[in-house]
Amino acid sequence: MNFFKKLFGGGDSSADDYLENVQLEVNEEHIHYSNEIYWITKKVGDMMELMNEAMSKQDYDEAESVRLDWLKLVDIARDELDEVGDFKGNSYLLDSAIKYLHSYKTLLENGYKKLIELRKSGNKGTPEEQKQLKENNEDIALFTEIFNDSVDEFVAKYDSNGDFIDSSFENPFLEQAKNLNTSTNPLFEPIHGISLQDYAKIAYFMANGGTAADVCKILNIEMPVFDEANALWLKRMTEDKTFMVSMKYAEYFGQAGQNNKFLNFKNGNDNSSDDKNKFLKRLENDEEFYYELMGAREAAYDFGLDGASWIEKNFGIGLGEFQNIAMKWMQKTDKINEMLAHKEAKYKEYYLKLSRENNESVTDDIQF
């Protein structure tokens, strides 16, 4: 664990041995709690040494016995986590530890079972066996790093006195936009009959595949009229030194996916597949899923793909739809650090997924 290595001053190679003989002498309850979770999960990770020994001896019956004992230990550790429970209502580290154990169990039931069978049948060194070994190593590296990060993240949530650090904040610009009185302000007068709210809905519509020609048809106006209205709204936002127009536009754009007559024209009220509707509904109601897709999109970009197009291809969610829902989650900040950590974990998972799909390695092979 990164945090415990830092706490005791141990290096990467000596930290575990050092921890075996050290008792925490700190008063912070969250540190004691972290330590308790750590020792439960450490017992599971320590089984790797027994597996390595069996594999090195090419005793695959022993390796299978270790695998089965390892699975039993995972279940025992899971029960111990249930006994420990959350920390004063904060289940972040507990949930992370449970996911860590679940990842190990999945690996033991699948990846390690297959690896042992391949080697036992004389296939050590074959492309299939090497591929399985590489995937096992990558999975362990991934879920171990994610859990290590969660320990650091949990500890960082508390100050030196053990008090929870509230990292939430309110966006003053969005709050100000909600309270703006636009009825008597000439900056908010419609342009050629197009209000600022309509303009935001048009922008959302066009971000999701609509065209200027569609807009003109819906509003029954000529293209030059629309072009001028578009240019003048942009000019107002650019020249408004108070940023009131821009702030109100951002608020309207965040609501543009609802009751949007332009979208109804394009979609005929039923253009989306069941899967797309399911993902959209989940994105709107599940904060963790929103940050998961944020991580997935970033991973796709870093892998050299168009992240927005990748999200649309795999989840059916267009850029405009995604950005519209993002406006909602950007205003919710009570769990921002936790959600950013979740996003980072999902980034690593999706990057590994993309690497495997493209037959690229993200970790060095580890030979037993």
Side-chain angles (χ1 to χ4, degrees):
M1 304 299 172
N2 297 337
F3 167 72
F4 291 98
K5 291 174 183 176
K6 293 174 186 174
L7 180 65
F8 295 116
D12 288 346
S13 61
S14 63
D16 287 341
D17 292 336
Y18 190 73
L19 282 168
E20 293 286 356
N21 301 308
V22 175
Q23 295 294 323
L24 279 175
E25 295 182 358
V26 289
N27 296 320
E28 294 93 332
E29 291 179 83
H30 66 290
I31 300 292
H32 287 287
Y33 177 81
S34 302
N35 193 34
E36 191 170 8
I37 296 292
Y38 167 74
W39 286 113
I40 292 173
T41 57
K42 184 179 183 298
K43 291 184 295 185
V44 174
D46 284 349
M47 287 291 289
M48 179 64 71
E49 184 176 348
L50 295 178
M51 179 62 76
N52 287 347
E53 290 177 1
M55 289 291 202
S56 296
K57 293 186 297 184
Q58 298 186 28
D59 187 340
Y60 302 123
D61 288 332
E62 181 181 339
E64 176 63 10
S65 178
V66 171
R67 186 184 73 86
L68 295 175
D69 288 342
W70 204 344
L71 278 169
K72 292 177 183 177
L73 185 59
V74 170
D75 289 337
I76 292 172
R78 180 66 177 81
D79 291 339
E80 290 177 349
L81 286 178
D82 286 340
E83 291 180 10
V84 173
D86 61 28
F87 181 72
K88 298 181 178 180
N90 183 349
S91 64
Y92 174 70
L93 185 55
L94 176 65
D95 292 341
S96 297
I98 290 173
K99 289 177 183 177
Y100 174 76
L101 294 183
H102 177 73
S103 297
Y104 249 123
K105 187 169 186 176
T106 300
L107 180 63
L108 290 166
E109 290 177 338
N110 298 283
Y112 266 107
K113 186 175 188 295
K114 184 176 180 180
L115 182 64
I116 293 170
E117 290 173 349
L118 285 168
R119 290 187 172 182
K120 190 173 183 178
S121 60
N123 288 303
K124 183 176 181 180
T126 63
E128 183 181 8
E129 183 268 349
Q130 288 294 293
K131 179 176 181 290
Q132 187 60 56
L133 173 62
K134 180 171 75 73
E135 290 185 358
N136 287 1
N137 293 336
E138 289 175 341
D139 286 342
I140 292 171
L142 175 65
F143 63 67
T144 300
E145 182 179 2
I146 289 173
F147 180 60
N148 285 348
D149 290 344
S150 73
V151 175
D152 292 337
E153 177 65 27
F154 173 81
V155 173
K157 290 175 180 289
Y158 298 87
D159 62 22
S160 58
N161 295 317
D163 295 324
F164 182 76
I165 301 172
D166 185 3
S167 58
S168 63
F169 65 93
E170 292 186 358
N171 188 324
F173 296 105
L174 290 176
E175 289 300 315
Q176 187 177 351
K178 292 177 182 178
N179 298 321
L180 282 176
N181 181 6
T182 62
S183 60
T184 59
N185 192 324
L187 286 174
F188 294 97
E189 286 293 319
I191 299 175
H192 296 317
I194 299 175
S195 68
L196 181 61
Q197 188 169 25
D198 282 338
Y199 183 64
K201 289 183 176 182
I202 290 169
Y204 181 84
F205 168 65
M206 295 181 71
N208 283 280
T211 66
D214 292 334
V215 173
C216 291
K217 185 174 182 180
I218 296 167
L219 297 178
N220 194 27
I221 59 176
E222 299 296 325
M223 185 65 73
V225 175
F226 172 71
D227 287 340
E228 185 175 36
N230 183 38
L232 289 175
W233 271 121
L234 287 173
K235 184 179 180 182
R236 280 190 190 178
M237 284 190 276
T238 302
E239 295 179 350
D240 174 24
K241 303 304 180 183
T242 67
F243 301 105
M244 288 189 297
V245 179
S246 296
M247 288 189 292
K248 201 64 181 177
Y249 170 81
E251 181 191 355
Y252 286 148
F253 188 86
Q255 303 165 352
Q258 305 167 8
N259 301 318
N260 191 327
K261 61 185 177 183
F262 301 99
L263 288 178
N264 292 340
F265 170 83
K266 180 174 183 290
N267 296 332
N269 288 315
D270 190 26
N271 184 53
S272 302
S273 67
D274 290 340
D275 282 343
K276 175 179 177 178
N277 286 331
K278 177 182 69 177
F279 286 131
L280 268 175
K281 185 175 181 180
R282 186 178 173 193
L283 185 65
E284 187 169 0
N285 295 287
D286 186 341
E287 186 176 10
E288 285 195 355
F289 185 60
Y290 164 69
Y291 281 96
E292 174 180 337
L293 292 195
M294 286 281 286
R297 185 172 68 173
E298 186 176 321
Y301 277 124
D302 286 353
F303 201 77
L305 304 174
D306 183 327
S309 297
W310 189 87
I311 292 293
E312 185 165 11
K313 177 182 177 182
N314 289 276
F315 297 93
I317 301 172
L319 177 60
E321 293 168 313
F322 192 93
Q323 294 302 96
N324 174 55
I325 296 174
M327 295 291 291
K328 167 188 174 180
W329 294 119
M330 286 169 63
Q331 298 178 58
K332 188 176 184 299
T333 62
D334 57 312
K335 298 192 295 182
I336 186 63
N337 287 339
E338 183 178 326
M339 289 299 104
L340 290 176
H342 179 66
K343 172 194 163 189
E344 179 64 19
K346 289 301 178 181
Y347 167 88
K348 294 171 182 175
E349 290 180 14
Y350 278 97
Y351 195 90
L352 177 58
K353 179 178 184 293
L354 290 168
S355 299
R356 286 180 175 171
E357 288 175 353
N358 291 274
N359 296 317
E360 295 186 16
S361 179
V362 294
T363 62
D364 294 329
D365 286 353
I366 304 171
Q367 299 294 335
F368 289 113

